[in-house]
Amino acid sequence: MVRQQRQTTMPSRLEVIVSRLATFVIGLALLLGLDVLHPARVRTYETLTLDLRLNHLAVIGDSYTTGTDEGGLGPRSWPNRAWQLLSARGERVSADVAAEGRAGYGTPGDHGSIFEDLTARGVQPDDALVVFFGSRNDQGVDLGVLAQKVRNTFDLARMLAPAAKFLVIAPPWPTADVPINVLQIRDVLGTVAGTVGATFVDPIAEHWFVGRPDLIGPDGVHPNDAGHQYMADRIAPLIRTQLSA
């Protein structure tokens, strides 16, 4: 009987290299504690997008808002600069600014308007926020009359924009020696603002312009362009907080 010899196929050199490489990789994975049979899931990242909602708001004010020959006219006013700051942070704002030089809650401005008249023109039903700024022009107004005028203004704004929040900013003063009647205006505003649930800001207590003559024009009263940028830097975060709350 002739014994049939078993044919043996020798592995090729390439197969040997591949086999040894696979053994090396598995061994390295075990050494490093990796699970080669259950590879880790690839992590995905969510893309953060800007808030595309459009926030409607109104601003009621005096010459500190309109700007003057000292500074802050047109695009250099604090409202316009504040909108730019808010836009850079992803807040889309559509604003109606109703402001008049020399106006106050009880004092008619250059065109005969008080803040209540400006509120009637500037506040809209879909406003999310109404900003009231000022006014030092109410010096000389009887405090009882002033309190009633302030309340009438806030009540009108609430009727026109039922869902709006109120941000009430008292008048600033550029020096540390604030006249007593300006302090009284500040106190009346703070008291009435509290009764309607408004957020009240006191620039006098926060020393907005104290020690910063570089922010006030030559008349010693009104902010220059740098002063309007300063106010925008102060007020924009306040508005953003109100819109985000």
Side-chain angles (χ1 to χ4, degrees), residues 58-60 105 115-132 149-168 196 198:
V59 178
I60 310 300
Y105 288 93
F115 274 21
E116 186 175 358
D117 302 318
L118 299 173
T119 297
R121 294 204 294 267
V123 177
Q124 304 297 325
D126 58 349
D127 284 337
L129 177 67
V130 181
V131 181
F132 300 93
K149 292 288 188 180
V150 173
R151 184 58 190 252
N152 292 345
T153 302
F154 293 167
D155 286 347
L156 176 61
R158 174 60 62 225
M159 182 183 70
L160 294 173
K165 297 177 182 178
F166 292 171
L167 176 62
V168 179
V196 298

Side-chain angles (χ1 to χ4, degrees), residues 81-193:
R81 294 186 173 188
W83 311 154
Q84 294 172 4
L85 292 172
L86 290 168
S87 177
R89 297 296 301 271
E91 296 283 355
R92 299 179 64 239
V93 170
S94 173
D96 292 303
V97 178
E100 189 171 306
R102 305 182 193 276
Y105 288 93
T107 303
D110 292 335
H111 303 286
S113 303
I114 60 175
F115 274 21
E116 186 175 358
D117 302 318
L118 299 173
T119 297
R121 294 204 294 267
V123 177
Q124 304 297 325
D126 58 349
D127 284 337
L129 177 67
V130 181
V131 181
F132 300 93
F133 189 9
S135 170
R136 60 182 286 159
N137 298 319
D138 284 317
Q139 298 178 70
V141 177
D142 177 82
L143 295 180
V145 172
L146 178 61
Q148 187 58 54
K149 292 288 188 180
V150 173
R151 184 58 190 252
N152 292 345
T153 302
F154 293 167
D155 286 347
L156 176 61
R158 174 60 62 225
M159 182 183 70
L160 294 173
K165 297 177 182 178
F166 292 171
L167 176 62
V168 179
I169 305 174
W173 196 260
T175 62
D177 53 336
V178 186
I180 184 64
N181 51 1
V182 175
L183 293 174
Q184 290 171 335
I185 293 170
R186 184 268 313 271
D187 293 341
V188 168
L189 286 173
T191 298
V192 181

Side-chain angles (χ1 to χ4, degrees), residues 7-68:
Q7 184 178 8
T8 303
T9 303
M10 298 295 294
S12 67
R13 185 177 181 181
L14 179 59
E15 291 174 332
V16 172
I17 293 174
V18 172
S19 176
R20 289 180 179 178
L21 182 59
T23 302
F24 172 76
V25 171
I26 294 174
L28 180 61
L30 293 175
L31 179 63
L32 297 177
L34 300 177
D35 188 351
V36 296
L37 298 179
H38 301 88
R41 176 180 297 176
V42 177
R43 178 176 297 176
T44 59
Y45 296 87
E46 294 182 358
T47 302
L48 297 179
T49 58
L50 297 178
D51 188 349
L52 298 180
R53 291 174 300 177
L54 183 62
N55 297 291
H56 297 271
L57 57 92
V59 178
I60 310 300
D62 54 19
S63 58
Y64 265 59
T65 297
T66 63
T68 66

Side-chain angles (χ1 to χ4, degrees), residues 10 30 114 137 197 209 216 228 232 234-235:
M10 298 295 294
L30 293 175
I114 60 175
N137 298 319
F209 291 101
I216 301 296
H228 275 263
R234 289 273 189 164
I235 298 173

